[in-house]
Amino acid sequence: MTQVVIPLYERFTALDVIGVYQPLALTPGIEVALVAERAGRVRDDCGAVSLIAESAFDDVVATDVLVVPGGPGTIAALAGPLPGWIRRIHQTTTFTTSVCSGSILLGAAGLLRGRRGTSHYRVAQELVRFGAEPTAQRVVEELDARIITAAGVSSGIDMGLRLVELLTDRTTAEAVQLWMEYDPQPPFDSGHPARATREVIARAAAYESAARVAR
């Protein structure tokens, strides 16, 4: 049985977790566990969703796959035990991965130095602080280092399906994609700053700033 561990922290982004969790959890032979600094409920960045961590960081010494989500709580998490725990767990993983600003936590753990990485477009340049080379790719694979990073929020679904392929085979990954009926046909083509108008980019930034102040 392949083990996948997803660490939670206060104010994580729910889709960062669920987008990867869903395809992996649907795959036969893969078990997914949620952990946190302490076992129990952990709130997401919007405050209405809580996920339950079954175990504490100290209870987990190894896993096959580590998936680190992002969210507004990333900055606070940098000052806690999570980066050090990621560094220890990475020593024996098959793949260590992140979604959105979770890559900043990988960087803080020292895993991205000299490597390409991606993140949410609003924070991707922060990876430079940790010696990484930010890219605009949706999913970045550094397989010789056993590291995969995904860009903002929804990209976790794409990375989750790619992990299914890497851990099993392409047919299984395609079957899981079909099971999820993941067939993106968005109503707008504004999902990346390269294609969004200046007005849309400014409004998205304003919404983000307002959310930070409110919470």
Side-chain angles (χ1 to χ4, degrees), residues 3-7 31-35 60 62-63 65-68 85:
Q3 301 293 328
V4 178
V5 167
I6 304 177
E31 288 186 347
V32 184
L34 305 181
V35 303
V60 179
T63 186
V65 179
L66 180 63
V67 179
V68 181
W85 180 80

Side-chain angles (χ1 to χ4, degrees), residues 5-7 9 66-70 82 86 96-99 102-103 105-106:
V5 167
I6 304 177
Y9 50 88
L66 180 63
V67 179
V68 181
L82 187 49
I86 291 170
T96 297
T97 73
S98 66
V99 182
S103 58
L105 288 161
L106 297 194

Side-chain angles (χ1 to χ4, degrees), residues 79-101:
L82 187 49
W85 180 80
I86 291 170
R87 188 181 308 114
R88 292 193 300 274
I89 295 297
H90 174 67
Q91 294 176 8
T92 56
T93 60
T94 301
F95 299 108
T96 297
T97 73
S98 66
V99 182
C100 196
S101 59

Side-chain angles (χ1 to χ4, degrees), residues 94-95 115 140-148 162 166:
T94 301
F95 299 108
R115 298 285 177 176
V140 175
E141 299 181 8
E142 292 279 309
L143 296 185
D144 62 320
R146 313 181 337 270
I147 292 173
I148 304 175
R162 174 59 172 150
L166 289 169

Side-chain angles (χ1 to χ4, degrees), residues 185-191:
Q185 299 176 46
F188 314 109
D189 190 22
S190 60

Side-chain angles (χ1 to χ4, degrees), residues 157-179:
I157 303 173
D158 297 352
M159 188 182 77
L161 288 168
R162 174 59 172 150
L163 281 170
V164 172
E165 180 185 17
L166 289 169
L167 295 169
T168 59
D169 55 66
R170 178 164 178 164
T171 300
T172 299
E174 290 182 346
V176 169
Q177 179 179 356
L178 178 58
W179 194 0

